[in-house]
Amino acid sequence: MPLSSYRILQRGSGIALDYCGKLFADFGADVIKLEPYGGDPLRTMPPIVAGGQSGLFAWLNTNKKSVTETPDNLATLLAGADVLLDGRPAAAIGGSHDALLAEHPGLAITAIDWFGHHGPYRDFAGSEAVCRALAGLVALTGSAEGPPILATECQQGPIAGLAAFIATTAGLYGRANGARSFSVSIHETAVNVAEYEAAVAWDGSETRRRTGLNRFGRNYPVGIYPTKQGMIGVTIVTPGQWRSICAMLGMPDLAKDPRFSLNTDRLARSAEIDALFQPVWETRTAEAWFELALEYRLPLAVVPTMEELLRQPVHRERGAFVPVRIGDAVFEAPRLPQYLTATPPLAGGTAPLAGENRPIWSVPAQGRPAGPAPIGSGALQGLRVIDLTMGWAGPTAARHLGDLGAEIIKVEACQYPDWWRGTDLRAAFIAEQRYEKIPWFQLMNRNKLDVTLDLAHPHGVALLKRLVATADAVIENYSSEVLRKLGLDYTVLKDVRPGLVMLSMPAFGSGNAWSDCRAYGSTLEQASGLPTLTGSPDHPPVMNQTAYGDPIGGFNAAAALMVALLHQQRTGEGQNIDLSQVECMLPLVAPGLIEQSALGAVSPRIGNRHPVFVPHGCFRCAGDDDWIAVAICDDRQWQATCHLLGREDLAALTAHQRRDREDELEALIARWTAQRSAEDAMNTLQAAAVAAGVVRRPGDLTDDPHLAERGFWHRLDRPFIGMHWQSSAAWREGQDSYPVRRVAPTLGQDNEAILGGMLGLDAVTLERLATEDIIGTVPKPRRAQGDA
């Protein structure tokens, strides 16, 4: 197993912490989970399976050992660990990590908590709903009149766990220079997911509001529609896709109607288009429409229930669902999506009962460095990655490694630059140099070099091979079969660079009946079944109002690369990574999948309520569409809330009693919040240690006082656009955010440095390549992508 040489000590509680530990354990690391007497509180989190065990807890803790924490065994285990994963609150940790490092200078530490270890929110009570609300991930989801819709539990935890894993494994990769201590803010991982929507607001093109339960973004048609049997998810973005879907539905003349030529026009007339389309959707099953969409190369997906998802042959063939055991209970749950073809993760496993293992690791850790790494030195310095990706998911994956110090060489072509530079490459767009001014491109491509190569030309292919020969890894997200036809797939490149790690990230993985599926981030969310778990029973399936699958795919791809690179570093062996981006979404539906597998059905949707925390929801505040998320996580928080409400007579209600009176109690909170601004309501509740957070709009994130004090946002200068906003990684060493070493590159900015300086091409050769349009710095005009 690729991580079998590492010992990981896990202390604290939380989904993010457990998922980070799961990534280590399922890839073979020796993981010990320290628990208090009576066990981790997550052992009571639904769904509850046979024997009264939490199915979610079991899945999060497969292949780990459980030890009841005492002062004596803590000291012994710390001496034997390579890494401490600490999920305790910042206030509980205090200065203890400094003392630990004084005693164990080679120990790597990663702390994971709601808001990080400094800033105004440092000691805030947190929950997934509160973090997502403050991060801008809630405000845009739901009907126009509100309330905004909260996601189900287990949405942000796995994402934060991935971020912690990426940082921690990067520290292990570079530990020849010393051990590293990272701090990961769950809130900031949520901002990393929301940052695209913030960039849209910075662009100034529009101020987004909630548009309805079955609408998504600024394009149309995008949504989920009932068919003859099942639901079909649709994402139509380009003019070519609009023409194709009209043709597929037997309405080719509709595509010629000038009233529907632009996305904005179609969105404004969505009710009219729905009335035309819906009767046609109902003539076939969702599976039949999906098969037809594959022929038309359209980004559609079956939107499965959990029962249907567990039956889908593509996932079954790939082994996406694996057995999990705890006590006498056995059920199926998602396998880790990081499918490394040579060193895959374990196919399920057993979770420990509380405290069932005795303390071990009596021998001190053997591979620990002598002391800490100098802060400011990149953990991945010296690593080179060739980035052949476009859009959001792939570039973000490469960015994560670049943020940690890797050298990322982004490869584009003047004929086909990254489509996030803009899909409208007509002459006027190019003349205005708008391809260098797109805010979201800047976010996803910081800390990279850029070279242009026409890979449709033999000279471009040859030069890329020379670059790959110098690299440690390649990441690509081309459509299926593109690289094979160009002679640049893994079977070729592994001979160019023996030991190469190469990651591909198609929607459903490679080599199956659905491998040719075109997908956007919204398509991935639809295909995961997540919308069937979100919202209330009377709602249609509800989607998150960002292209959720893209940033989640980026986090998962970076984690997969780190596992493969650690294996490469230890053994010299490379491998291909076949990452299904739909499978990357499955950890977010794990509670529903586990409930379906273990109990035979999924509980009805509960809207903004929570299976454990009560009351829980979004409440309107004074102001224009201002809201606050509130999560009463325990009896103490309820008692504090009753004091603020002036209703001490209700303070003794247990969670069960509160559940029976939930409508009444929510109305009390709503009357209280309606009289206050969202900021005042949050600060008042948090002063009483009650979990609450303003439902921030994405465009307001740069004004958030906590993010500002933590230096999360940067104002940087770049050619063509001047000063612009740039985000930070969700991890940091010390209190300072990671610096942006380099703003996003201009097209072909580093042609001379890479092709001349690195590969040794002379000026005459470079001039000839430019004359032949194999390299360049300006896109070649054509009609908007998708028009052909």
Side-chain angles (χ1 to χ4, degrees):
M1 297 295 291
L3 303 185
S4 59
S5 62
Y6 299 112
R7 294 171 172 180
I8 312 298
L9 184 61
Q10 189 181 312
R11 192 180 187 199
S13 181
I15 292 174
L17 173 71
D18 276 348
Y19 194 74
C20 181
K22 176 181 179 64
L23 286 155
F24 276 104
D26 285 2
F27 275 110
D30 188 359
V31 180
I32 291 181
K33 177 181 176 65
L34 289 174
E35 300 194 61
Y37 287 103
D40 186 331
L42 276 179
R43 288 184 178 273
T44 64
M45 181 67 73
I48 303 300
V49 299
Q53 303 288 342
S54 165
L56 177 62
F57 174 90
W59 171 70
L60 288 167
N61 289 284
T62 50
N63 304 307
K64 300 178 186 176
K65 302 179 179 72
S66 171
V67 171
T68 300
E69 180 177 335
T70 68
D72 289 342
N73 66 33
L74 175 62
T76 300
L77 292 171
L78 284 168
D82 293 292
V83 176
L84 170 64
L85 300 178
D86 198 338
R88 296 175 299 154
I93 292 173
S96 63
H97 285 178
D98 292 336
L100 274 181
L101 292 174
E103 185 175 357
H104 305 286
L107 178 66
I109 301 176
T110 297
I112 309 167
D113 69 350
W114 293 117
F115 296 103
H117 284 199
H118 75 284
Y121 304 164
R122 173 187 182 270
D123 295 323
F124 269 19
S127 74
E128 287 205 0
V130 167
C131 282
R132 288 171 54 83
L134 281 164
L137 285 175
V138 173
L140 301 180
T141 300
S143 61
E145 64 274 12
I149 293 178
L150 298 172
T152 54
E153 191 75 1
C154 201
Q155 299 297 296
Q156 204 57 42
I159 299 170
L162 283 161
F165 181 78
I166 294 163
T168 307
T169 49
L172 292 172
Y173 187 89
R175 74 173 178 172
N177 294 320
R180 293 179 183 269
S181 294
F182 292 98
S183 170
V184 175
S185 158
I186 298 172
H187 171 230
E188 288 174 358
T189 66
V191 179
N192 280 169
V193 175
E195 62 187 349
Y196 166 74
E197 293 297 340
V200 171
W202 303 336
D203 195 37
S205 56
E206 58 185 304
T207 301
R208 284 197 63 198
R209 296 277 183 158
R210 290 184 302 281
T211 56
L213 295 171
N214 196 23
R215 296 287 183 266
F216 177 83
R218 295 158 295 283
N219 302 302
Y220 192 80
V222 180
I224 298 172
Y225 304 94
T227 68
K228 185 177 182 180
Q229 180 180 337
M231 308 289 286
I232 192 75
V234 179
T235 302
I236 299 302
V237 176
T238 71
Q241 290 169 353
W242 170 241
R243 288 196 296 272
S244 292
I245 197 170
C246 289
M248 186 182 79
L249 294 174
M251 304 177 186
D253 290 341
L254 190 66
K256 302 174 185 177
D257 190 327
R259 296 179 304 147
F260 306 129
S261 60
L262 298 177
N263 258 317
T264 51
D265 295 334
R266 295 196 296 273
L267 189 59
R269 296 178 173 87
S270 57
E272 182 180 351
I273 297 174
D274 280 351
L276 294 171
F277 280 8
Q278 188 54 53
V280 183
W281 289 126
E282 293 172 6
T283 63
R284 299 176 188 242
T285 66
E287 289 192 6
W289 282 120
F290 176 66
E291 296 294 337
L292 192 57
L294 290 176
E295 297 178 21
Y296 279 83
R297 302 171 70 83
L298 284 169
L300 272 63
V302 175
V303 183
T305 64
M306 295 299 99
E307 181 181 11
E308 293 164 346
L309 183 62
L310 282 167
R311 291 201 307 258
Q312 286 183 335
V314 163
H315 296 313
R316 285 289 167 192
E317 292 165 8
R318 287 179 55 85
F321 308 119
V322 293
V324 172
R325 298 172 178 83
I326 185 168
D328 295 329
V330 182
F331 53 87
E332 287 190 311
R335 184 200 63 186
L336 289 182
Q338 287 77 18
Y339 187 66
L340 279 64
T341 53
T343 58
L346 292 168
T350 300
L353 299 176
E356 73 173 22
N357 302 105
R358 294 190 179 279
I360 51 176
W361 299 347
S362 56
V363 177
Q366 299 300 306
R368 291 206 309 208
I375 291 180
S377 62
L380 298 182
Q381 189 172 345
L383 178 73
R384 179 174 292 165
V385 179
I386 306 301
D387 179 8
L388 300 179
T389 66
M390 301 184 188
W392 188 350
T396 304
R399 184 193 80 179
H400 290 321
L401 303 194
D403 285 347
L404 286 158
E407 180 184 63
I408 310 297
I409 300 177
K410 184 177 181 70
V411 180
E412 303 183 72
C414 292
Q415 295 79 4
Y416 291 95
D418 187 336
W419 64 274
W420 262 36
R421 290 185 182 274
T423 57
D424 183 2
L425 293 182
R426 291 174 290 189
F429 182 92
I430 293 171
E432 295 171 6
Q433 298 174 319
R434 289 166 61 192
Y435 58 92
E436 295 292 5
K437 301 175 183 178
I438 305 300
W440 39 95
F441 178 87
Q442 319 306 323
L443 286 174
M444 307 311 161
N445 291 284
R446 65 173 178 256
N447 293 328
K448 298 182 184 181
L449 305 169
D450 192 284
V451 63
T452 50
L453 292 172
D454 180 5
L455 299 182
H457 194 288
H459 289 334
V461 170
L463 288 169
L464 180 63
K465 287 180 178 179
R466 290 183 61 185
L467 276 179
V468 170
T470 73
D472 301 287
V474 173
I475 178 172
E476 65 90 10
N477 65 350
Y478 280 92
S479 299
S480 176
E481 296 298 301
V482 169
L483 287 186
R484 185 188 63 80
K485 291 176 181 177
L486 293 173
L488 290 170
D489 62 352
Y490 180 70
T491 60
V492 173
L493 295 183
K494 69 182 178 65
D495 293 330
V496 171
R497 199 293 199 187
L500 179 71
V501 169
M502 184 167 178
L503 183 141
S504 302
M505 46 196 313
F508 286 96
S510 302
N512 62 68
W514 292 356
S515 293
D516 290 335
C517 175
R518 299 296 182 92
Y520 294 105
S522 51
T523 318
L524 305 172
E525 181 180 353
Q526 292 162 351
S528 75
L530 179 60
T532 69
L533 303 177
T534 307
S536 299
D538 57 335
H539 288 164
V542 176
M543 295 174 61
N544 287 275
Q545 287 302 298
T546 191
Y548 212 31
D550 282 311
I552 292 168
F555 276 113
N556 277 279
L561 283 167
M562 285 313 310
V563 175
L565 287 165
L566 281 168
H567 179 72
Q568 179 200 65
Q569 184 185 59
R570 184 168 60 87
T571 67
E573 296 174 357
Q575 59 185 303
N576 184 42
I577 304 170
D578 179 20
L579 188 78
S580 160
Q581 290 199 72
V582 173
E583 289 177 18
C584 292
M585 294 291 297
L586 298 185
L588 281 64
V589 299
L593 278 172
I594 292 167
E595 187 176 23
Q596 178 66 49
S597 174
L599 305 178
V602 176
S603 300
R605 291 182 288 171
I606 57 175
N608 282 348
R609 291 175 174 174
H610 190 278
V612 175
F613 307 151
V614 54
H616 185 278
C618 270
F619 300 91
R620 187 183 289 277
C621 297
D624 178 23
D625 197 36
D626 288 350
W627 301 81
I628 186 171
V630 178
I632 307 299
C633 301
D634 55 35
D635 289 343
R636 190 213 57 75
Q637 289 193 19
W638 172 244
Q639 293 159 11
T641 303
C642 288
H643 178 72
L644 292 174
L645 298 176
R647 292 298 305 268
E648 279 83 354
D649 58 307
L650 301 174
L653 293 178
T654 65
H656 180 74
Q657 292 168 328
R658 298 197 296 273
R659 183 75 67 193
D660 291 339
R661 300 172 64 174
E662 203 157 9
D663 288 342
E664 172 194 351
L665 302 181
E666 287 174 354
L668 287 174
I669 295 173
R671 284 197 291 273
W672 184 85
T673 60
Q675 301 170 32
R676 294 162 173 81
S677 71
E679 295 286 344
D680 178 59
M682 176 182 73
N683 290 327
T684 301
L685 286 163
Q686 286 287 358
V690 176
V694 174
V695 177
R696 297 218 187 280
R697 300 176 184 88
D700 296 334
L701 291 175
T702 50
D703 297 324
D704 181 277
H706 184 70
L707 295 173
E709 184 168 318
R710 286 173 59 81
F712 182 86
W713 299 110
H714 309 274
R715 290 289 287 171
L716 301 173
D717 194 14
R718 180 184 181 274
F720 299 100
I721 58 173
M723 299 302 294
H724 68 291
W725 287 110
Q726 184 60 255
S727 63
S728 294
W731 51 77
R732 60 187 64 205
E733 295 179 75
Q735 290 201 354
D736 294 332
S737 60
Y738 266 57
V740 177
R741 305 187 312 279
R742 205 173 195 268
V743 296
T746 58
L747 185 66
Q749 177 178 335
D750 302 290
N751 283 346
E752 184 174 348
I754 293 172
L755 302 178
M758 189 182 298
L759 298 188
L761 302 187
D762 59 29
V764 174
T765 303
L766 291 173
E767 181 63 29
R768 177 176 55 79
L769 291 171
T771 301
E772 296 175 1
D773 289 335
I774 297 169
I775 67 173
T777 58
V778 178
K780 298 300 173 186
R782 67 177 188 277
R783 289 183 296 172
Q785 290 184 24
D787 279 6

